[in-house]
Amino acid sequence: TAAPAPPRGAFLVFEGADRAGKSTQCGLLVEHLKAQGVPAELWRFPDRTTAIGKMIDAYLTSQAEIDDAAVHLLFSANRWEKSQELQRKLAAGTTLVVDRYAYSGVAFTAAKAKPGLDRQWCQAPDAGLPAPDAVFFLSLSTEAAAARGGYGEERYEKADFQKKVLEQFQSLRGPAWRMVDASQSVEAIQQQLREAAGAVVARCARGAPLGRLWE
Ligand code: FDM
Ligand code: MG
C-alpha cells in the first residue's frame, strides 16, 4: 500500500515596499523553520533565473525597455511557470517562504496609473494561481524606508513611486493578510513572524485546503 500523503507545507508570502526588510525576515524565518524540523524553502518573485525572469531582470536594471502591459504579463507568466513546482513542493510537505507574489504584481503596475492598467486588468492574469495561506505585509512608511540608507538603482526604486505602490497594496488587503510593523527591530519582527507562521504551518499540516487567486 502507498505511504500516506505527508502533511502539506504552508504557502507564506511576504509583501511590502522596498527596504521594509522582506528578504532579511524571509531568510531568518526559513532558517528557523528548518531548525524546528519543518522542511522549508526560500523562494522569490520575480524569479530571475528563468528565461522569462531574465527578460524581467533586463527590464528592472534598465538594460531593456518593455511596454508596461507586456512586462506586467511577463511578471505574471513568471509566477505561472513556477506554479506546478510550487504546488508539488507544498503537497510533498515543504513550506514555501516567498519574497513577493501577485500582490506586488498588481501594486507596482497599477501604481503607474496609466489608462488600461487599472487594478481589475492587473489582477486578471494571476487569477487561478495558488493563493498564499498567509500574506505577511511588512509595513513601513516611505520616509522610514528612505532613511534606511536610500533606495537602490533599479527601476521603481524611487520614493514618489514607492508611495503610490503602498497605496495600491492597501486596497489589496484581504483576510489572509497579517500587518507587521516593520519599524521594529529585526529580532522583534522575527519573533512575531515565527509565532504567526508556526500557527499557519500547523493549520496547513492539519489539511487546510490551498486556495486560488483571487477567490
Ligand atoms: N515587481 C515584482 C513587479 O513590478 N511585479 C511583480 O509581479 C513582482 C513580483 O519588481 F520593484 C517589482 C517589485 C520590485 C522589483 O523585486 C524587483 P525585488 O524583490 O527587489 O527583486
Ligand atoms: Mg528590490
Side-chain angles (χ1 to χ4, degrees):
T1 57
R8 85 160 170 95
F11 179 14
L12 309 176
V13 163
F14 281 70
E15 289 283 9
D18 282 334
R19 307 251 107 222
K22 291 185 299 301
S23 304
T24 302
Q25 295 295 342
C26 285
L28 290 170
L29 183 60
V30 167
E31 290 318 309
H32 167 76
L33 290 169
K34 288 202 256 185
Q36 300 283 107
V38 177
E41 282 183 20
L42 177 60
W43 282 33
R44 60 163 49 239
F45 287 106
D47 178 337
R48 303 189 196 210
T49 64
T50 69
I52 292 168
K54 289 189 171 80
M55 296 168 72
I56 293 170
D57 181 67
Y59 174 76
L60 289 172
T61 55
S62 299
Q63 299 167 73
E65 291 305 317
I66 304 177
D67 171 81
D68 288 315
V71 82
H72 180 79
L73 297 174
L74 289 179
F75 275 109
S76 178
N78 187 230
R79 286 183 280 280
W80 279 108
E81 69 177 335
K82 300 290 290 186
S83 68
Q84 293 298 324
E85 187 187 349
L86 187 148
Q87 290 173 85
R88 273 199 305 275
K89 293 267 183 185
L90 295 175
T94 302
T95 284
L96 299 178
V97 175
V98 183
D99 190 344
R100 296 193 193 277
Y101 196 55
Y103 312 93
S104 277
V106 175
F108 277 78
T109 302
K112 293 178 178 178
K114 298 237 173 93
L117 302 181
D118 56 85
R119 198 148 67 79
Q120 208 184 349
W121 184 89
C122 291
Q123 286 190 236
D126 288 312
L129 279 171
D133 297 298
V135 179
F136 296 104
F137 188 84
L138 300 196
S139 179
L140 191 70
S141 71
T142 327
E143 292 75 19
R148 290 188 171 179
Y151 294 110
E153 297 289 296
E154 289 202 334
R155 199 186 291 264
Y156 302 149
E157 296 185 322
K158 298 183 181 66
D160 54 343
F161 187 69
Q162 293 283 325
K163 216 166 212 134
K164 293 177 185 152
V165 171
L166 278 185
E167 287 166 18
Q168 290 298 328
F169 272 130
Q170 293 305 330
S171 54
L172 291 168
R173 279 168 73 161
W177 284 50
R178 313 270 199 290
M179 303 304 283
V180 181
D181 174 4
S183 70
Q184 304 170 91
S185 70
V186 170
E187 296 73 21
I189 296 168
Q190 182 61 207
Q191 191 52 41
Q192 288 169 30
L193 291 172
R194 286 177 182 180
E195 285 167 25
V200 180
V201 168
R203 175 160 53 81
C204 294
R206 287 193 303 267
L210 188 67
R212 302 202 165 272
L213 294 180
W214 300 95
E215 289 163 10

